[in-house]
């Protein structure tokens, strides 16, 4: 909220770590922001936010980090998925779907129905 116009935030969803059984559960949340930044510049800004919150690259312990901000998709038009792994993941699907429903209900400019696979 300090760096971008926050349009919406999903609920938080707790999920088990995928690759590290000794890691604590993760909290997943998706946000919808308004920005004119191109994806490469936006990703740099997101990495700076991660660093300010204690993220170190490479991680001292693989699979464990205090914060991970992914640039998943741009509403467009057209809809552009930047991170298919997060877009189609079980941990990301419900929080992303929350935001897509918000965009649809609030007539966010450029919104198109996303192709999120259902389980």
């Amino acid at each position: 909220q300090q760096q971008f116009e926050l349009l919406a935030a999903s609920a938080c969803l707790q999920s088990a770590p995928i690759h590290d059984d000794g890691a604590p559960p993760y909290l997943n949340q998706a946000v919808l922001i308004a920005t004119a930044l191109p994806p490469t510049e936006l990703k740099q800004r997101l990495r700076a936010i991660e660093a300010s919150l204690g993220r170190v690259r490479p991680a001292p312990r693989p699979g464990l980090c205090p914060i991970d901000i992914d640039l998943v998709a741009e509403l467009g038009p057209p809809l552009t998925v930047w991170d298919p792994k997060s877009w189609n993941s079980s941990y990301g699907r419900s929080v992303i779907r929350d935001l897509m429903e918000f965009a649809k209900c609030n007539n966010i400019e450029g919104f198109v129905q996303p192709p999120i696979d259902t389980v």
Side-chain angles (χ1 to χ4, degrees):
Q1 286 179 322
Q2 294 174 1
Q3 297 197 28
F4 300 103
E5 179 186 355
L6 180 64
L7 300 175
S10 73
C12 286
L13 174 70
Q14 185 171 313
S15 64
I18 295 173
H19 300 294
D20 187 346
D21 294 330
Y26 289 97
L27 290 178
N28 299 284
Q29 184 176 35
V31 296
L32 183 62
I33 62 169
T35 182
L37 294 174
T40 53
E41 197 172 326
L42 177 57
K43 186 66 176 175
Q44 290 173 348
R45 294 273 298 273
L46 297 176
R47 290 254 171 121
I49 293 170
E50 288 178 340
S52 73
L53 295 171
R55 174 91 188 246
V56 176
R57 290 179 187 269
R61 181 174 161 205
L64 186 63
C65 64
I67 184 76
D68 182 28
I69 305 173
D70 297 312
L71 176 58
V72 177
E74 178 181 353
L75 287 182
L79 175 77
T80 304
V81 176
W82 300 108
D83 182 356
K85 180 182 170 193
S86 292
W87 183 262
N88 291 311
S89 69
S90 59
Y91 61 83
R93 188 174 293 123
S94 66
V95 293
I96 293 168
R97 186 173 282 133
D98 282 356
L99 293 186
M100 297 303 99
E101 186 61 28
F102 173 86
K104 180 180 173 185
C105 292
N106 289 280
N107 298 314
I108 301 286
E109 185 177 340
F111 174 77
V112 294
Q113 185 63 42
I116 297 179
D117 298 327
T118 57
V119 175

